[in-house]
């Protein structure tokens, strides 16, 4: 089931086709922002994929899981000034919290919450919301996405750090038709253009951590997808442990 009123087509071809027209507005929204050195998180290029995907869906609310020092939250607040941004962070580290809170204080469209997004987000989810998950990661993120998408409410769930070859990505590639990734070559042309606009080498080989976009609705019944995720995660954990075993001496 799809959320009502959000009819923009969601696939990599449609997002790439729209991205060129959105680039100038995105650059204006993020003007002057830079990632804090020494802290990994969603960069401007990653956020442009989120923007190009989500802006045409016009969500009234965006839920964010995993804020740390608020770099991505700040970009959301500036890129989606008409939307309410609900950002949840598990870690109450006082330094990170103080930095995020100071950064976001001027933005009245942002709610900063503390706790486990797996408990908080299902209760905050409204029809038509977009969701950004940057923690938890991998299969845990996928389980959270599945739980939210099952309600039929989100217009899309985007998960950060879905690198090629990772077990969770392989799972999505196999079992989630309709999902698409920001590292698709169709989108690369826009990242080159963005690099130019933000003063980076347009052909920079510096890798951008990819997003996966899961459009609203589920591609298979919830219980089947959940069982498959639980099984695939268990297998990937077992394989990881076996690979780390010291070689037995003869
Ligand atoms: C990579 S950091 C987020 C960086 C931030 N999105 C940015 O781009 O600046 C991931 C964060 O997710 C948080 N996290 C992990 N599991 C979480 C959960 N279940 N609920 C809320 N936050 C979680 C971690 O504490 C960590 O601060």
């Amino acid at each position: 089931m799809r959320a009502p009123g959000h009819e923009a087509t969601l696939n990599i071809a449609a997002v790439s086709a729209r991205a060129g027209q959105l680039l100038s507005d995105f650059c204006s929204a993020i003007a002057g922002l830079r990632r804090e050195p020494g802290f990994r998180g969603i960069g401007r290029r990653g956020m442009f994929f989120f923007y190009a995907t989500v802006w045409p869906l016009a969500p009234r609310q965006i839920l964010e899981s995993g804020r740390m020092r608020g770099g991505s939250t700040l970009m959301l607040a500036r890129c989606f000034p008409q939307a309410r941004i609900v950002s949840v962070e598990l870690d109450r580290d006082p330094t990170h919290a103080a930095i995020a809170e100071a950064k976001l204080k001027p933005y009245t469209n942002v709610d900063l919450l503390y706790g486990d997004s797996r408990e908080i987000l299902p209760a905050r989810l409204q029809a038509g919301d977009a969701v950004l998950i940057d923690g938890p990661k991998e299969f845990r993120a996928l389980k959270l996405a599945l739980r939210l998408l099952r309600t039929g409410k989100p217009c899309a769930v985007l998960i950060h750090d879905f690198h090629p070859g990772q077990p969770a990505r392989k799972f999505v590639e196999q079992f989630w038709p309709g999902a698409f990734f920001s590292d698709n070559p169709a989108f690369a042309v826009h990242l080159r253009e963005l690099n130019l606009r933000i003063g980076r080498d347009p052909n920079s080989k510096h890798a951008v951590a990819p997003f996966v976009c899961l459009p609203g609705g589920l591609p298979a019944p919830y219980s089947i997808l959940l069982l498959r995720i639980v099984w695939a995660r268990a297998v990937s954990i077992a394989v990881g442990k076996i690979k780390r075993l010291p070689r037995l001496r003869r």
Side-chain angles (χ1 to χ4, degrees):
M1 189 169 82
R2 278 194 179 282
H6 296 269
E7 303 305 331
T9 309
L10 257 198
N11 57 42
I12 191 64
V15 169
S16 301
R18 294 192 290 254
Q21 294 158 12
L22 295 172
L23 189 58
S24 291
D25 286 348
F26 176 75
C27 289
S28 306
I30 58 140
L33 297 186
R34 284 187 179 279
R35 193 156 41 183
E36 266 187 83
F39 290 95
R40 293 190 55 123
I42 300 168
R44 292 171 289 183
R45 292 174 296 168
M47 188 54 78
F48 181 53
F49 178 77
F50 184 89
Y51 183 79
T53 303
V54 166
W55 176 262
L57 305 173
R60 281 200 296 264
Q61 180 165 268
I62 297 175
L63 305 181
E64 179 185 49
S65 175
R67 160 178 82 246
M68 203 167 71
R69 292 161 80 97
S72 52
T73 323
L74 178 56
M75 288 194 279
L76 289 175
R78 285 174 57 158
C79 289
F80 297 92
Q82 313 300 339
R84 176 129 298 274
I85 312 296
V86 177
S87 172
V88 183
E89 172 54 53
L90 182 64
D91 186 355
R92 290 169 191 271
D93 176 291
T95 309
H96 291 336
I99 286 172
E101 284 172 23
K103 209 177 264 172
L104 291 153
K105 201 168 174 204
Y107 297 89
T108 53
N109 62 329
V110 178
D111 290 336
L112 300 183
L113 309 180
Y114 292 89
D116 191 332
S117 59
R118 293 170 293 186
E119 288 161 16
I120 295 174
L121 290 190
R124 301 293 295 232
L125 184 67
Q126 306 279 329
D129 286 359
V131 183
L132 189 169
I133 304 176
D134 192 21
K137 297 287 188 188
E138 302 186 26
F139 281 114
R140 286 201 182 100
L142 209 47
K143 269 174 82 178
L144 172 58
L146 176 69
R147 210 170 140 206
L148 298 174
L149 286 163
R150 162 190 211 198
T151 64
K153 291 179 179 174
C155 59
V157 176
L158 284 88
I159 310 175
H160 193 229
D161 278 332
F162 247 64
H163 295 273
Q166 277 178 350
R169 174 145 172 177
K170 286 189 191 162
F171 177 88
V172 170
E173 287 166 346
Q174 186 175 358
F175 293 115
W176 214 293
F180 57 96
F181 301 90
S182 61
D183 53 8
N184 189 299
F187 197 73
V189 60
H190 302 295
L191 296 182
R192 276 197 294 279
E193 182 62 28
L194 176 60
N195 275 341
L196 270 173
R197 302 259 192 125
I198 62 178
R200 293 182 74 125
D201 172 4
N203 299 313
S204 166
K205 295 277 183 272
H206 189 270
V208 184
F211 268 107
V212 61
C213 174
L214 308 173
L218 290 178
Y222 170 79
S223 51
I224 290 180
L225 281 168
L226 180 61
L227 269 176
R228 283 181 173 155
I229 290 174
V230 169
W231 175 249
R233 179 164 184 257
V235 169
S236 83
I237 290 171
V239 168
K241 282 189 175 161
I242 290 165
K243 280 186 181 160
R244 284 194 297 276
L245 278 179
R247 288 212 179 133
L248 294 176
R249 289 198 176 171
R250 293 184 177 213

